[in-house]
Amino acid sequence: MTSLLQDGENFDFSSSFTSHPITVLLIDDQPIIAEAIRRMLVTEEDIIFHYISDPTQTLKAAAELSPTVILQDLVMPDLDGLTLVRFLRAKDAITRDIPLIVLSSKEDPQIKAAAFAFGANDYLVKLPDKLEMIARIRYHSRAYINLLQRNEAYKTLQNYLGKLKIEQQKSEDLLLNILPKQIAERLKEGQSTIADSFPNVSVLFADIVGFSKLATRVSPTQLVGMMNEVFSAFDYLADYYQLEKIKTIGDAYMVVAGLPVERSDHADAIANIALDMQSSIETINKNSSETFRIRIGINSGPVVAGVIGKKKFLYDLWGDTVNTASRMESHGLPGRIHVTQFTYELLEDKYVFEPRGEIEVKGKGKMSTYFLIDRK
């Protein structure tokens, strides 16, 4: 037979185990057998040998020593060896996956078959040949160490993926806090410029009256805290009515109904949030040293909505409908909800209005407008 090794060439069996030593745990009631096996292994620098004579201490020893292979005698005075094999292979036992080589004084096919059926990995007649035993110890230990390394790598990978998922969710939440979900998905798919036409939406602008004077009376920290309380209340209402908050500009708040998902009740939804915004301001005033009042302007009609530019993405609206809604706010009165003729016509059957008559609107000329009072 031709040797696979060249003359004078030695194979380093331990090269694969530099990060995890081969550890043998022998369970045998005969100290003389243990000593014989110890002597066989003592010259192997990469193999650590441990021995216990009491099989009931196996789990404790395995927990302390972390063996890479277990050698177990099948004939012991106080315990049947096959019973111990079943015990070591129990579903919840810490020894379940550790390679198990059973030792027997005779070559018995029936005992071999039973040992393998109960979960043994190998079978040796004692005392085994030194070279064969060491080869089998290394073979089974290599497989077990590889399993441990794969499990550790999988655990590390799962831990990394878990952290990555958390970070991805944070990024996703941040993106969705800036852009509507549908728009965010389109940007992630590679669309660089998004512009969509919507024929029927309702736009609302709200502005805090006397904000500039308020800013001169309170500290910047107090001012930001007050604005946060007001706008957080508005954000809650926007979520409740499933509206799209567009932006805040200083003390102005802009929200729209009817996009990016179209809805037939856009005017009703924007009227409801306007009325509730007034109520929320009244609630805030009861618990504040300051008295807030807001002007609200509403208009309905077609708009173009989308995202443009390369930095600091903002989902925004364009068109005459938006400009007119802004004019309704700026030409309105404190504590009132000022709406256009078009919005009034969409809502007159369900809501109470007060006609304002014709007013001169900057950039628009004379317009008939109304104040929204309440729901019918």
Side-chain angles (χ1 to χ4, degrees), residues 213-287:
K213 292 182 179 179
L214 176 64
T216 63
R217 298 200 311 270
V218 301
S219 69
T221 302
Q222 289 176 301
L223 183 65
V224 171
M226 293 175 181
M227 295 299 297
N228 181 65
E229 183 179 9
V230 172
F231 286 167
S232 293
F234 293 173
D235 287 344
Y236 170 80
L237 293 172
D239 287 340
Y240 179 79
Y241 287 110
Q242 298 181 337
L243 309 182
E244 194 63 45
K245 173 188 175 182
I246 301 302
K247 57 187 171 183
T248 59
I249 309 172
D251 61 327
Y253 189 94
M254 180 182 179
V255 65
V256 61
L259 59 77
V261 178
E262 296 185 21
R263 54 191 291 183
S264 59
D265 65 339
H266 58 90
D268 300 74
I270 215 74
N272 288 331
I273 192 176
L275 293 168
D276 287 355
M277 288 167 81
Q278 287 185 324
S279 298
S280 66
I281 287 295
E282 292 174 5
T283 301
I284 291 172
N285 286 339
K286 292 178 181 178
N287 303 304

Side-chain angles (χ1 to χ4, degrees), residues 316-335:
D316 210 347
L317 310 182
W318 300 276
D320 183 66
T321 299
V322 180
N323 297 334
T324 303
S326 178
R327 292 287 185 265
M328 289 299 99
E329 180 275 312
S330 60
H331 288 70
L333 298 176

Side-chain angles (χ1 to χ4, degrees), residues 21-241:
I22 297 175
T23 303
V24 177
L25 174 61
L26 172 65
I27 309 163
D28 198 304
D29 62 305
Q30 301 180 60
I32 190 171
I33 298 296
E35 178 60 21
I37 293 178
R38 185 193 69 80
R39 291 186 180 186
M40 291 182 189
L41 300 178
V42 71
T43 57
E44 307 304 312
E45 295 181 357
D46 62 315
I47 297 179
I48 301 171
F49 176 74
H50 296 281
Y51 162 65
I52 58 173
S53 59
D54 182 358
T56 64
Q57 299 298 308
T58 302
L59 293 183
K60 180 181 178 183
E64 294 176 352
L65 303 173
S66 299
T68 60
V69 66
I70 294 176
L71 305 182
Q72 181 218 309
D73 187 16
L74 277 183
V75 181
M76 288 178 281
D78 299 323
L79 181 66
D80 176 60
L82 291 177
T83 300
L84 181 58
V85 171
R86 295 181 66 178
F87 180 73
L88 297 179
R89 284 296 182 257
K91 182 179 180 181
D92 298 326
I94 61 172
T95 54
R96 183 186 63 180
D97 296 322
I98 301 174
L100 177 61
I101 302 175
V102 294
L103 304 175
S104 179
S105 59
K106 56 183 178 180
E107 188 87 20
D108 187 324
Q110 289 187 341
I111 295 179
K112 273 187 178 182
F116 290 136
F118 291 152
N121 298 91
D122 210 339
Y123 186 101
L124 285 173
V125 176
K126 62 180 183 182
L127 280 171
D129 175 79
K130 174 182 176 180
L131 186 61
E132 179 184 4
M133 183 181 70
I134 291 174
R136 296 195 185 202
I137 286 174
R138 285 203 170 101
Y139 172 80
H140 290 296
S141 291
R142 180 189 299 119
Y144 181 62
I145 290 170
N146 287 341
L147 174 64
L148 293 178
Q149 291 173 339
R150 286 197 301 270
N151 289 346
E152 186 62 30
Y154 179 77
K155 182 179 178 181
T156 301
L157 176 61
Q158 290 300 109
N159 185 49
Y160 171 78
L161 291 176
K163 292 180 179 178
L164 179 61
K165 186 176 181 180
I166 291 173
E167 294 305 315
Q168 287 177 330
Q169 189 60 52
K170 288 180 180 178
S171 298
E172 184 78 9
D173 291 343
L174 180 60
L175 186 60
L176 294 179
N177 200 34
I178 299 172
L179 300 171
K181 182 178 180 180
Q182 298 87 342
I183 303 304
E185 292 296 330
R186 291 166 65 180
L187 285 174
K188 287 192 292 184
E189 290 171 0
Q191 294 190 39
S192 57
T193 300
I194 296 175
D196 301 312
S197 296
F198 295 90
N200 297 295
V201 305
S202 289
V203 182
L204 178 152
F205 283 90
D207 185 80
I208 296 177
V209 179
F211 178 79
S212 298
K213 292 182 179 179
L214 176 64
T216 63
R217 298 200 311 270
V218 301
S219 69
T221 302
Q222 289 176 301
L223 183 65
V224 171
M226 293 175 181
M227 295 299 297
N228 181 65
E229 183 179 9
V230 172
F231 286 167
S232 293
F234 293 173
D235 287 344
Y236 170 80
L237 293 172
D239 287 340
Y240 179 79
Y241 287 110

